[in-house]
Amino acid sequence: MFAHPVSRWLARRGIHFSWVMVALAFLTMLSSSAALGLPGAFLQPLSREFGWNVDQISSALAVRFALFGLMGPFSAILMERYGLRRIMCTAMVLVAFGLLLATRMSEVWHLVALWGLLLGFGTGLTAVVLGAVVATRWFDQRRGLVLGMLTASAATGQLVFLPAAAWLIEHVGWRMAVAPVVACCLAVALLAFLLARDRPQDLGLAPYGADPHAAAAPPATARPSFLAPLQVLRAVSGNRTFWVLFGTFFVCGLSTNGLIQTHFISLCGDFGLAALPAASVLAMMGAFDFVGTILSGWLSDRYDNRKLLFWYYGLRGLSLFWLPHSEFTLYGLSLFAMFYGLDWIATVPPTVKLAAAEFGKEKAGMVFGWVFAGHQIGGAIAAYGAGLVRTQMLTYTPALYAAGAACLVAALVVFLIRRRAPVPAPAAARSA
């Protein structure tokens, strides 16, 4: 609707419309990550109001994580068939209504349906694939920077919304705490409806960094089949590298989204730390993660990605072992936030690069979609399992130790991936 006049206005100032698409994708992924992380602040308020056990509430959050991950391989197909604008708008509206309708719930199955199924499906429509699609379609240069920025949006969502939600829960009640995220989702849906376009060719532009005179109609492609992700999964199911990446990313989800993002505020409450300072520690992790993820993208272009993953998983595991002994003081939690936060999702760039090196650029996106599904399955297991441990043992410590041990195993397992030698240049190219 407004994309053409905005594009012309920006062009007169030397700004490519692709950066508008980056901003829209960033806001969409930020809102999705905020919606995924927000229910972690509601464990204790919901338990107090409805008498639900932590493992009952966690079961709904586990459904959300699993559905979010399993949607990943199919979200690119939906974007190709129905367009970025429709998918972004649909995702944001579903997330907003899932959060909003939950303020009227009274039974556990309401929680599962709204914050499990509806929220999982809504966030899964974009998942992490939106960033890859925008970077690929709209940029010939600076793709790595764009991917790093969009991946880091998950940290930004946590940084912006969790402390505010904790304050609202404490002073107004948990129902009002969903209002900022709901408002953000609806605002982003409106912006996407007004400005988002599928490809630069829709506006008569070439991708950023390409020859400006090369703008043409989008390439004609067959409508992708919904069976394509399953066909890719079948093709790579016998590959050892795929299962190593799937398994290590399973541990990544187990030790981040499912455990810390979901249960950290409740964990701090067990040690007498109120929700607002606990959410502030999560925000501190988000700040470190924003830096760490962008830095990880830079490092992944220069160093052995297996060694990077070794250090990321190893340091994360040690930080999880440290957490129960931090005494939950400002110093102890700050130390944890720094080491843990720096590699919260820093594992993404090396994992994507290893997938691309093994399976090629054509398959890398869909293969990573399945690897990401492993991440969210791990998150779902940890979200429910840690809640069950807390209910049965009245402590989260065994769950923290188990996740830490899994991280140390993952740090070693990455070396089962063979380092691929650089492909030599063709003879004709060498002689040119």
Side-chain angles (χ1 to χ4, degrees):
M1 188 177 295
F2 293 103
H4 281 88
V6 170
S7 176
R8 290 192 294 267
W9 185 84
L10 291 173
R12 290 195 295 269
R13 289 157 178 79
I15 302 173
H16 198 283
F17 190 83
S18 57
W19 295 110
V20 174
M21 291 301 302
V22 170
L24 291 174
F26 185 93
L27 290 172
T28 301
M29 296 171 70
L30 178 149
S31 302
S32 293
S33 68
L36 282 172
L38 192 64
F42 291 80
L43 289 178
Q44 292 184 344
L46 292 178
S47 180
R48 286 194 297 267
E49 178 168 336
F50 297 108
W52 300 336
N53 294 331
V54 174
D55 61 310
Q56 289 178 301
I57 303 170
S58 300
S59 64
L61 309 187
V63 172
R64 171 199 58 176
F65 281 125
L67 190 55
F68 177 71
L70 292 173
M71 282 289 294
F74 299 92
S75 58
I77 304 295
L78 292 169
M79 291 177 200
E80 188 68 36
R81 290 176 69 100
Y82 301 109
L84 289 177
R85 181 171 60 175
R86 290 179 180 175
I87 295 301
M88 292 165 72
C89 292
T90 301
M92 290 295 92
V93 170
L94 287 176
V95 169
F97 278 94
L99 290 172
L100 193 59
L101 291 174
T103 61
R104 309 299 300 171
M105 64 187 174
S106 58
E107 303 289 341
V108 172
W109 73 265
H110 297 162
L111 182 68
V112 174
L114 295 171
W115 282 2
L117 295 174
L118 191 57
L119 200 58
F121 182 78
T123 54
L125 280 175
T126 54
V128 294
V129 177
L130 177 62
V133 171
V134 169
T136 302
R137 291 184 182 180
W138 286 83
F139 289 83
D140 273 9
Q141 296 179 7
R142 300 190 181 180
R143 284 181 182 172
L145 173 64
V146 170
L147 278 171
M149 292 168 57
L150 294 179
T151 303
S153 64
T156 309
Q158 180 172 287
L159 178 68
V160 171
F161 288 102
L162 268 180
W167 187 90
L168 287 169
I169 289 171
E170 185 174 328
H171 292 87
V172 185
W174 68 268
R175 288 174 175 82
M176 284 300 298
V178 305
V181 179
V182 169
C184 183
C185 288
L186 294 177
V188 172
L190 178 61
L191 287 173
F193 177 77
L194 296 175
L195 294 173
R197 289 295 180 270
D198 288 342
R199 292 177 172 84
Q201 291 88 349
D202 296 342
L203 300 174
L205 299 173
Y208 180 91
D211 182 355
H213 303 292
T221 57
R223 287 170 66 86
S225 167
F226 284 108
L227 294 177
L230 299 176
Q231 292 166 348
V232 168
L233 177 62
R234 180 179 180 182
V236 302
S237 61
N239 186 289
R240 181 174 69 182
T241 297
F242 170 76
W243 289 111
V244 171
L245 294 177
F246 185 94
T248 53
F249 231 44
F250 173 92
V251 172
C252 184
L254 183 89
S255 56
T256 54
N257 303 46
L259 180 60
I260 297 300
Q261 187 181 61
T262 302
H263 293 283
F264 185 76
I265 293 177
S266 179
L267 166 68
C268 290
D270 289 348
F271 286 85
L273 192 65
L276 183 56
S280 299
V281 174
L282 278 175
M284 189 190 307
M285 292 182 210
F288 280 112
D289 179 51
F290 187 87
V291 175
T293 302
I294 296 176
L295 179 62
S296 177
W298 183 85
L299 291 172
S300 66
D301 287 330
R302 291 161 174 80
Y303 298 100
D304 185 344
N305 288 276
R306 301 172 308 158
K307 293 180 180 178
L308 293 178
L309 290 177
F310 169 81
W311 284 108
Y312 296 160
Y313 285 118
L315 289 174
R316 185 187 299 172
L318 294 177
S319 67
L320 288 170
F321 280 123
W322 156 259
L323 181 57
H325 307 284
S326 67
E327 298 181 354
F328 290 80
T329 62
L330 177 63
Y331 171 78
L333 288 178
S334 298
L335 190 64
F336 171 75
M338 180 178 68
F339 281 99
Y340 184 88
L342 281 172
D343 70 359
W344 180 296
I345 50 175
T347 53
V348 172
T351 301
V352 171
K353 294 205 65 153
L354 288 169
E358 179 70 24
F359 302 105
K361 292 182 179 179
E362 275 49 359
K363 288 185 178 179
M366 208 165 290
V367 170
F368 179 71
W370 283 113
V371 171
F372 182 72
H375 183 282
Q376 295 306 110
I377 292 171
I381 290 174
Y384 177 73
L388 183 62
V389 168
R390 170 63 179 79
T391 299
Q392 298 294 327
M393 300 184 175
L394 304 180
T395 177
Y396 283 107
T397 300
L400 295 172
Y401 284 162
C407 287
L408 297 183
V409 172
L412 298 175
V413 166
V414 293
F415 289 108
L416 293 176
I417 301 174
R418 290 186 294 270
R419 186 174 184 178
R420 300 179 70 85
V423 178
R430 291 196 300 267
S431 61

PDB file of all heavy atoms in Angstrom, residues 7 44 99 103 118 134 149 157 164 181 184 186 188 212 248 273-274 283 287 291 298 322 345 378 383 405 417:
ATOM      1  N   SER A   7       9.561   3.545  -0.757  1.00  0.00           N
ATOM      2  CA  SER A   7      10.758   3.143  -1.479  1.00  0.00           C
ATOM      3  C   SER A   7      11.338   4.304  -2.275  1.00  0.00           C
ATOM      4  O   SER A   7      12.563   4.533  -2.279  1.00  0.00           O
ATOM      5  CB  SER A   7      10.428   1.966  -2.413  1.00  0.00           C
ATOM      6  OG  SER A   7      11.554   1.614  -3.184  1.00  0.00           O
ATOM      7  N   GLN A  44       4.634 -18.631  38.600  1.00  0.00           N
ATOM      8  CA  GLN A  44       4.189 -18.461  39.983  1.00  0.00           C
ATOM      9  C   GLN A  44       2.836 -17.761  40.095  1.00  0.00           C
ATOM     10  O   GLN A  44       1.981 -18.191  40.889  1.00  0.00           O
ATOM     11  CB  GLN A  44       5.271 -17.717  40.775  1.00  0.00           C
ATOM     12  CG  GLN A  44       6.538 -18.555  40.947  1.00  0.00           C
ATOM     13  CD  GLN A  44       7.584 -17.875  41.802  1.00  0.00           C
ATOM     14  OE1 GLN A  44       7.524 -16.674  42.040  1.00  0.00           O
ATOM     15  NE2 GLN A  44       8.564 -18.634  42.261  1.00  0.00           N
ATOM     16  N   LEU A  99      -2.263 -14.626  23.318  1.00  0.00           N
ATOM     17  CA  LEU A  99      -1.935 -14.017  24.604  1.00  0.00           C
ATOM     18  C   LEU A  99      -3.158 -13.361  25.237  1.00  0.00           C
ATOM     19  O   LEU A  99      -3.401 -13.479  26.437  1.00  0.00           O
ATOM     20  CB  LEU A  99      -0.836 -12.970  24.411  1.00  0.00           C
ATOM     21  CG  LEU A  99       0.568 -13.491  24.070  1.00  0.00           C
ATOM     22  CD1 LEU A  99       1.488 -12.335  23.716  1.00  0.00           C
ATOM     23  CD2 LEU A  99       1.156 -14.293  25.231  1.00  0.00           C
ATOM     24  N   THR A 103      -6.089 -14.393  29.016  1.00  0.00           N
ATOM     25  CA  THR A 103      -6.463 -13.646  30.221  1.00  0.00           C
ATOM     26  C   THR A 103      -7.852 -14.037  30.727  1.00  0.00           C
ATOM     27  O   THR A 103      -8.228 -13.687  31.851  1.00  0.00           O
ATOM     28  CB  THR A 103      -6.440 -12.127  29.953  1.00  0.00           C
ATOM     29  OG1 THR A 103      -7.383 -11.803  28.924  1.00  0.00           O
ATOM     30  CG2 THR A 103      -5.046 -11.685  29.517  1.00  0.00           C
ATOM     31  N   LEU A 118      -1.977 -22.426  20.007  1.00  0.00           N
ATOM     32  CA  LEU A 118      -2.120 -21.201  19.214  1.00  0.00           C
ATOM     33  C   LEU A 118      -0.828 -20.392  19.190  1.00  0.00           C
ATOM     34  O   LEU A 118      -0.385 -19.925  18.133  1.00  0.00           O
ATOM     35  CB  LEU A 118      -3.258 -20.355  19.771  1.00  0.00           C
ATOM     36  CG  LEU A 118      -3.703 -19.163  18.906  1.00  0.00           C
ATOM     37  CD1 LEU A 118      -4.115 -19.626  17.511  1.00  0.00           C
ATOM     38  CD2 LEU A 118      -4.857 -18.426  19.580  1.00  0.00           C
ATOM     39  N   VAL A 134      14.453 -13.254   4.276  1.00  0.00           N
ATOM     40  CA  VAL A 134      14.664 -11.829   3.999  1.00  0.00           C
ATOM     41  C   VAL A 134      16.109 -11.568   3.581  1.00  0.00           C
ATOM     42  O   VAL A 134      16.368 -10.842   2.603  1.00  0.00           O
ATOM     43  CB  VAL A 134      14.288 -10.976   5.232  1.00  0.00           C
ATOM     44  CG1 VAL A 134      14.751  -9.534   5.066  1.00  0.00           C
ATOM     45  CG2 VAL A 134      12.789 -11.018   5.462  1.00  0.00           C
ATOM     46  N   MET A 149      22.003  -9.767  12.884  1.00  0.00           N
ATOM     47  CA  MET A 149      21.069  -8.816  13.493  1.00  0.00           C
ATOM     48  C   MET A 149      19.710  -9.453  13.749  1.00  0.00           C
ATOM     49  O   MET A 149      19.116  -9.278  14.829  1.00  0.00           O
ATOM     50  CB  MET A 149      20.916  -7.591  12.584  1.00  0.00           C
ATOM     51  CG  MET A 149      22.150  -6.729  12.469  1.00  0.00           C
ATOM     52  SD  MET A 149      22.009  -5.518  11.130  1.00  0.00           S
ATOM     53  CE  MET A 149      20.517  -4.646  11.611  1.00  0.00           C
ATOM     54  N   GLY A 157      14.031  -9.060  22.234  1.00  0.00           N
ATOM     55  CA  GLY A 157      12.678  -9.232  22.735  1.00  0.00           C
ATOM     56  C   GLY A 157      12.655  -9.492  24.230  1.00  0.00           C
ATOM     57  O   GLY A 157      11.826  -8.938  24.974  1.00  0.00           O
ATOM     58  N   ALA A 164       9.599  -5.304  32.060  1.00  0.00           N
ATOM     59  CA  ALA A 164       8.311  -4.602  32.102  1.00  0.00           C
ATOM     60  C   ALA A 164       7.193  -5.547  32.527  1.00  0.00           C
ATOM     61  O   ALA A 164       6.309  -5.179  33.326  1.00  0.00           O
ATOM     62  CB  ALA A 164       7.997  -3.996  30.732  1.00  0.00           C
ATOM     63  N   VAL A 181       3.126  -6.781  24.895  1.00  0.00           N
ATOM     64  CA  VAL A 181       3.449  -7.686  23.799  1.00  0.00           C
ATOM     65  C   VAL A 181       2.293  -7.751  22.797  1.00  0.00           C
ATOM     66  O   VAL A 181       2.511  -7.774  21.581  1.00  0.00           O
ATOM     67  CB  VAL A 181       3.799  -9.092  24.329  1.00  0.00           C
ATOM     68  CG1 VAL A 181       4.113 -10.037  23.178  1.00  0.00           C
ATOM     69  CG2 VAL A 181       4.984  -9.021  25.280  1.00  0.00           C
ATOM     70  N   CYS A 184       2.387  -4.632  20.741  1.00  0.00           N
ATOM     71  CA  CYS A 184       3.511  -4.681  19.806  1.00  0.00           C
ATOM     72  C   CYS A 184       3.191  -5.590  18.627  1.00  0.00           C
ATOM     73  O   CYS A 184       3.459  -5.237  17.467  1.00  0.00           O
ATOM     74  CB  CYS A 184       4.764  -5.153  20.527  1.00  0.00           C
ATOM     75  SG  CYS A 184       6.255  -5.171  19.494  1.00  0.00           S
ATOM     76  N   LEU A 186       0.257  -6.415  17.332  1.00  0.00           N
ATOM     77  CA  LEU A 186      -0.743  -5.816  16.449  1.00  0.00           C
ATOM     78  C   LEU A 186      -0.155  -4.650  15.663  1.00  0.00           C
ATOM     79  O   LEU A 186      -0.480  -4.457  14.478  1.00  0.00           O
ATOM     80  CB  LEU A 186      -1.948  -5.359  17.263  1.00  0.00           C
ATOM     81  CG  LEU A 186      -2.757  -6.486  17.937  1.00  0.00           C
ATOM     82  CD1 LEU A 186      -3.888  -5.905  18.783  1.00  0.00           C
ATOM     83  CD2 LEU A 186      -3.308  -7.468  16.904  1.00  0.00           C
ATOM     84  N   VAL A 188       3.017  -4.376  14.742  1.00  0.00           N
ATOM     85  CA  VAL A 188       3.889  -4.966  13.725  1.00  0.00           C
ATOM     86  C   VAL A 188       3.057  -5.546  12.578  1.00  0.00           C
ATOM     87  O   VAL A 188       3.433  -5.426  11.400  1.00  0.00           O
ATOM     88  CB  VAL A 188       4.803  -6.039  14.350  1.00  0.00           C
ATOM     89  CG1 VAL A 188       5.573  -6.796  13.273  1.00  0.00           C
ATOM     90  CG2 VAL A 188       5.772  -5.400  15.329  1.00  0.00           C
ATOM     91  N   PRO A 212      22.211  -2.292  -9.809  1.00  0.00           N
ATOM     92  CA  PRO A 212      20.907  -1.618  -9.722  1.00  0.00           C
ATOM     93  C   PRO A 212      20.111  -1.660 -11.013  1.00  0.00           C
ATOM     94  O   PRO A 212      18.898  -1.421 -11.004  1.00  0.00           O
ATOM     95  CB  PRO A 212      21.278  -0.180  -9.361  1.00  0.00           C
ATOM     96  CG  PRO A 212      22.702  -0.022  -9.774  1.00  0.00           C
ATOM     97  CD  PRO A 212      23.329  -1.363  -9.601  1.00  0.00           C
ATOM     98  N   THR A 248      23.160 -31.915  18.929  1.00  0.00           N
ATOM     99  CA  THR A 248      23.744 -30.806  19.683  1.00  0.00           C
ATOM    100  C   THR A 248      22.769 -29.636  19.782  1.00  0.00           C
ATOM    101  O   THR A 248      22.712 -28.961  20.818  1.00  0.00           O
ATOM    102  CB  THR A 248      25.061 -30.344  19.043  1.00  0.00           C
ATOM    103  OG1 THR A 248      24.857 -30.062  17.652  1.00  0.00           O
ATOM    104  CG2 THR A 248      26.135 -31.404  19.178  1.00  0.00           C
ATOM    105  N   LEU A 273      14.534 -14.407  45.507  1.00  0.00           N
ATOM    106  CA  LEU A 273      14.730 -13.267  44.622  1.00  0.00           C
ATOM    107  C   LEU A 273      13.412 -12.946  43.931  1.00  0.00           C
ATOM    108  O   LEU A 273      12.803 -13.818  43.309  1.00  0.00           O
ATOM    109  CB  LEU A 273      15.810 -13.576  43.586  1.00  0.00           C
ATOM    110  CG  LEU A 273      16.344 -12.392  42.770  1.00  0.00           C
ATOM    111  CD1 LEU A 273      17.085 -11.409  43.676  1.00  0.00           C
ATOM    112  CD2 LEU A 273      17.265 -12.876  41.659  1.00  0.00           C
ATOM    113  N   ALA A 274      12.955 -11.706  44.029  1.00  0.00           N
ATOM    114  CA  ALA A 274      11.669 -11.308  43.465  1.00  0.00           C
ATOM    115  C   ALA A 274      11.699 -11.365  41.942  1.00  0.00           C
ATOM    116  O   ALA A 274      12.759 -11.419  41.310  1.00  0.00           O
ATOM    117  CB  ALA A 274      11.306  -9.902  43.934  1.00  0.00           C
ATOM    118  N   ALA A 283      17.204 -10.020  31.304  1.00  0.00           N
ATOM    119  CA  ALA A 283      17.465  -8.937  30.360  1.00  0.00           C
ATOM    120  C   ALA A 283      18.964  -8.717  30.187  1.00  0.00           C
ATOM    121  O   ALA A 283      19.432  -8.433  29.081  1.00  0.00           O
ATOM    122  CB  ALA A 283      16.790  -7.659  30.841  1.00  0.00           C
ATOM    123  N   ALA A 287      21.209  -8.829  26.763  1.00  0.00           N
ATOM    124  CA  ALA A 287      22.168  -7.837  26.281  1.00  0.00           C
ATOM    125  C   ALA A 287      23.480  -8.511  25.885  1.00  0.00           C
ATOM    126  O   ALA A 287      24.063  -8.214  24.830  1.00  0.00           O
ATOM    127  CB  ALA A 287      22.406  -6.785  27.361  1.00  0.00           C
ATOM    128  N   VAL A 291      25.255  -9.156  21.817  1.00  0.00           N
ATOM    129  CA  VAL A 291      26.653  -8.970  21.411  1.00  0.00           C
ATOM    130  C   VAL A 291      27.260 -10.299  20.977  1.00  0.00           C
ATOM    131  O   VAL A 291      27.938 -10.393  19.940  1.00  0.00           O
ATOM    132  CB  VAL A 291      27.462  -8.356  22.575  1.00  0.00           C
ATOM    133  CG1 VAL A 291      28.943  -8.270  22.223  1.00  0.00           C
ATOM    134  CG2 VAL A 291      26.929  -6.981  22.931  1.00  0.00           C
ATOM    135  N   TRP A 298      30.638 -13.215  13.131  1.00  0.00           N
ATOM    136  CA  TRP A 298      31.950 -12.758  12.642  1.00  0.00           C
ATOM    137  C   TRP A 298      33.002 -13.862  12.808  1.00  0.00           C
ATOM    138  O   TRP A 298      33.796 -14.125  11.909  1.00  0.00           O
ATOM    139  CB  TRP A 298      32.353 -11.503  13.413  1.00  0.00           C
ATOM    140  CG  TRP A 298      33.639 -10.883  12.967  1.00  0.00           C
ATOM    141  CD1 TRP A 298      33.820 -10.004  11.940  1.00  0.00           C
ATOM    142  CD2 TRP A 298      34.936 -11.085  13.561  1.00  0.00           C
ATOM    143  NE1 TRP A 298      35.147  -9.654  11.846  1.00  0.00           N
ATOM    144  CE2 TRP A 298      35.851 -10.300  12.825  1.00  0.00           C
ATOM    145  CE3 TRP A 298      35.407 -11.854  14.619  1.00  0.00           C
ATOM    146  CZ2 TRP A 298      37.203 -10.260  13.124  1.00  0.00           C
ATOM    147  CZ3 TRP A 298      36.761 -11.818  14.925  1.00  0.00           C
ATOM    148  CH2 TRP A 298      37.638 -11.029  14.183  1.00  0.00           C
ATOM    149  N   TRP A 322      27.485 -23.886  37.713  1.00  0.00           N
ATOM    150  CA  TRP A 322      27.763 -22.822  38.669  1.00  0.00           C
ATOM    151  C   TRP A 322      26.492 -22.214  39.259  1.00  0.00           C
ATOM    152  O   TRP A 322      26.452 -21.827  40.427  1.00  0.00           O
ATOM    153  CB  TRP A 322      28.591 -21.734  37.974  1.00  0.00           C
ATOM    154  CG  TRP A 322      28.486 -20.365  38.583  1.00  0.00           C
ATOM    155  CD1 TRP A 322      27.738 -19.307  38.141  1.00  0.00           C
ATOM    156  CD2 TRP A 322      29.147 -19.898  39.774  1.00  0.00           C
ATOM    157  NE1 TRP A 322      27.885 -18.218  38.958  1.00  0.00           N
ATOM    158  CE2 TRP A 322      28.749 -18.551  39.974  1.00  0.00           C
ATOM    159  CE3 TRP A 322      30.019 -20.482  40.689  1.00  0.00           C
ATOM    160  CZ2 TRP A 322      29.206 -17.793  41.043  1.00  0.00           C
ATOM    161  CZ3 TRP A 322      30.469 -19.712  41.756  1.00  0.00           C
ATOM    162  CH2 TRP A 322      30.067 -18.395  41.920  1.00  0.00           C
ATOM    163  N   ILE A 345      22.339 -17.887  22.016  1.00  0.00           N
ATOM    164  CA  ILE A 345      22.054 -18.376  20.662  1.00  0.00           C
ATOM    165  C   ILE A 345      23.229 -18.145  19.736  1.00  0.00           C
ATOM    166  O   ILE A 345      23.072 -18.104  18.509  1.00  0.00           O
ATOM    167  CB  ILE A 345      20.770 -17.735  20.073  1.00  0.00           C
ATOM    168  CG1 ILE A 345      20.803 -16.223  20.207  1.00  0.00           C
ATOM    169  CG2 ILE A 345      19.527 -18.316  20.686  1.00  0.00           C
ATOM    170  CD1 ILE A 345      19.625 -15.542  19.526  1.00  0.00           C
ATOM    171  N   GLY A 378      14.074 -30.313  22.236  1.00  0.00           N
ATOM    172  CA  GLY A 378      14.854 -30.259  23.472  1.00  0.00           C
ATOM    173  C   GLY A 378      14.292 -29.237  24.439  1.00  0.00           C
ATOM    174  O   GLY A 378      14.201 -29.487  25.653  1.00  0.00           O
ATOM    175  N   ALA A 383      11.291 -27.815  29.278  1.00  0.00           N
ATOM    176  CA  ALA A 383      10.218 -27.007  29.867  1.00  0.00           C
ATOM    177  C   ALA A 383       9.326 -27.864  30.760  1.00  0.00           C
ATOM    178  O   ALA A 383       8.987 -27.468  31.886  1.00  0.00           O
ATOM    179  CB  ALA A 383       9.394 -26.343  28.765  1.00  0.00           C
ATOM    180  N   ALA A 405      25.513 -31.179  32.194  1.00  0.00           N
ATOM    181  CA  ALA A 405      26.217 -32.374  31.726  1.00  0.00           C
ATOM    182  C   ALA A 405      25.957 -32.619  30.238  1.00  0.00           C
ATOM    183  O   ALA A 405      26.868 -32.985  29.475  1.00  0.00           O
ATOM    184  CB  ALA A 405      25.779 -33.587  32.543  1.00  0.00           C
ATOM    185  N   ILE A 417      31.933 -34.420  13.593  1.00  0.00           N
ATOM    186  CA  ILE A 417      31.775 -33.847  12.249  1.00  0.00           C
ATOM    187  C   ILE A 417      33.159 -33.706  11.623  1.00  0.00           C
ATOM    188  O   ILE A 417      34.044 -33.065  12.196  1.00  0.00           O
ATOM    189  CB  ILE A 417      31.087 -32.464  12.314  1.00  0.00           C
ATOM    190  CG1 ILE A 417      29.706 -32.594  12.962  1.00  0.00           C
ATOM    191  CG2 ILE A 417      30.988 -31.839  10.934  1.00  0.00           C
ATOM    192  CD1 ILE A 417      29.020 -31.264  13.199  1.00  0.00           C
TER     193      ILE A 417
END
